[in-house]
Amino acid sequence: MPRSEPDKQAADGVATAQAILIGLALIITLLRCYVRIRIEGRALTVSDYFIWAGWFCSLGWVICCVKTLAIQIDHPLTEEGWSDSVTYLKTVFAASFLFDIGLYMPKASIIAFYWWLIPIGFRRLRIGLYIGTTFMVCAGIASLFMDALLCIPVTDNWSLENQLNSVWNNPIALTANWVLNFSTDILLFILPFFMISCLKLRKRQKFGLCGIFSLGALTMIISLIRFVEYTSNFNLEDTVGDTWCTAEMATAVIVASLPGLKNLIMRKETPTNSSYVRNTHGYLQTGSGHPSNHVAEIRGGEWDDELELTFLDRKPSPSSMGTDAKDQQDGVMVTKNVTVTHHVL
């Protein structure tokens, strides 16, 4: 007996909702590239390419969803979730890879941004970044291996007789992939808040950065709702499940793109209570003329142009102030001809 499946009108409604989500993600991603190329005058970075990879996976996922919903109109699923269409089963199998890859591409973009942001001198943050990167890569690889190898032989994924053995119908794969995905989200959500304390910024800017990073919680909430929906009703209708999955993928792309829009939403301004010090060695000078500790500098000569952490945890020796080689031996990140801003908070 066929279970209640979406008619053409319901399928069109789901397709419209998914198109809106993927379209919004596309707009934000294009704005990110506009800021990078037109406003900042720089080429796209590895982080940007990861964002685009995530968006194209999301687009592929939506196309697969629309195709499966269209197939279900003529080939509705049974109460047990069986389908009599091999095309449907193959499409679902391909969609599982697009979904898992699409979830990890925005994470890879954020990790790449952190690698650029945190210099070598911040040992604890760099160690955390090494651990986070390793864990994320292992989690992504594990998810792909589960998709490919959990159902043996792989042809059972689109076999009409053994289709319930497919990875998409396996509760173990659902739970394991979600745990890996959610744990990496938590890791990426926590890490930037340790960086905030190392940034020498005004309170308004710190609150703004905290707000941007906190948007990662939105992806986690959607992911949690999706998992609860599937675990409470494993034979969840595709109209509901596909929408939640698309929302999670699109939100992940949007959240990962938002930090790149800083120069679009924050106006450049020159602070009134700051002093500019030209320092060829990149040290941020305090009023006494001594290098300050554990602060960040604004690079590029303009306010809010680019944020980058600089390791200044100890004073350089007098002999090291004259040579780049000595600076590198002291573990200090050197920047030539940089205008630095110091704020009196």
Side-chain angles (χ1 to χ4, degrees), residues 111 114-115 118-120 122-136 187-188 190-192 194-195:
I111 285 288
Y114 291 165
W115 277 108
I118 305 175
I120 297 176
F122 282 85
R123 290 183 178 85
R124 292 183 180 179
L125 289 178
R126 294 283 287 198
I127 290 174
L129 195 54
Y130 276 113
I131 295 174
T133 302
T134 302
F135 181 74
M136 188 203 71
L187 184 64
L188 294 179
I190 294 176
L191 187 59
F194 290 97
M195 303 178 197

Side-chain angles (χ1 to χ4, degrees), residues 36-220:
R36 182 78 68 198
I37 297 173
R38 301 291 296 180
I39 297 180
E40 297 179 358
R42 295 192 294 161
L44 296 182
T45 64
V46 173
S47 180
D48 299 312
Y49 290 124
F50 277 132
I51 288 290
W52 277 112
W55 184 85
F56 277 110
C57 286
S58 302
L59 177 63
W61 161 263
V62 170
I63 293 173
C64 289
C65 291
V66 172
K67 184 175 182 178
T68 56
L69 289 175
I71 293 173
Q72 286 185 56
I73 294 176
D74 297 323
H75 302 272
L77 305 182
T78 66
E79 288 286 347
E80 294 79 17
W82 288 66
S83 174
D84 60 355
S85 172
V86 174
T87 302
Y88 171 86
L89 297 175
K90 288 183 176 180
T91 304
V92 169
F93 181 62
S96 64
F97 284 92
L98 291 171
F99 179 72
D100 288 328
I101 296 174
L103 286 180
Y104 281 94
M105 288 298 102
K107 304 178 198 291
S109 175
I110 295 175
I111 285 288
F113 172 70
Y114 291 165
W115 277 108
W116 169 85
L117 185 66
I118 305 175
I120 297 176
F122 282 85
R123 290 183 178 85
R124 292 183 180 179
L125 289 178
R126 294 283 287 198
I127 290 174
L129 195 54
Y130 276 113
I131 295 174
T133 302
T134 302
F135 181 74
M136 188 203 71
V137 171
C138 291
I141 293 175
S143 294
L144 293 181
F145 269 97
M146 275 191 288
D147 291 343
L149 302 177
L150 194 60
C151 179
I152 299 296
V154 69
T155 53
D156 279 355
N157 285 289
W158 55 83
S159 168
L160 295 179
E161 295 78 16
N162 302 316
Q163 59 185 274
L164 291 186
N165 297 331
S166 66
V167 64
W168 194 254
N169 288 314
N170 193 318
I172 297 177
L174 170 67
T175 303
N177 281 335
W178 180 82
V179 169
L180 291 174
N181 172 52
F182 196 75
S183 57
T184 52
D185 281 340
I186 293 176
L187 184 64
L188 294 179
F189 177 75
I190 294 176
L191 187 59
F193 290 96
F194 290 97
M195 303 178 197
I196 297 297
S197 61
C198 300
L199 289 171
K200 191 70 173 180
L201 298 173
R202 289 176 295 175
K203 291 183 179 180
R204 176 180 63 84
Q205 292 174 306
K206 285 191 175 183
F207 288 148
L209 287 176
C210 287
I212 291 176
F213 290 134
S214 297
L215 290 176
L218 180 60
T219 305
M220 297 168 59

Side-chain angles (χ1 to χ4, degrees), residues 233-295:
N233 180 17
F234 195 72
N235 287 329
L236 189 68
E237 292 184 355
D238 286 356
T239 50
V240 179
D242 291 352
T243 303
W244 279 115
C245 290
T246 304
E248 182 176 355
M249 297 180 76
T251 304
V253 171
I254 292 172
V255 170
S257 296
L258 287 178
L261 303 183
K262 175 178 63 69
N263 284 339
L264 187 66
I265 61 179
M266 295 178 66
R267 62 189 179 90
K268 296 181 180 181
E269 58 183 7
T270 302
T272 57
N273 61 335
S274 63
S275 59
Y276 290 88
V277 181
R278 173 70 64 181
N279 189 331
T280 59
H281 288 271
Y283 297 108
L284 183 60
Q285 302 290 336
T286 61
S288 61
H290 297 293
S292 59
N293 296 329
H294 295 291
V295 296

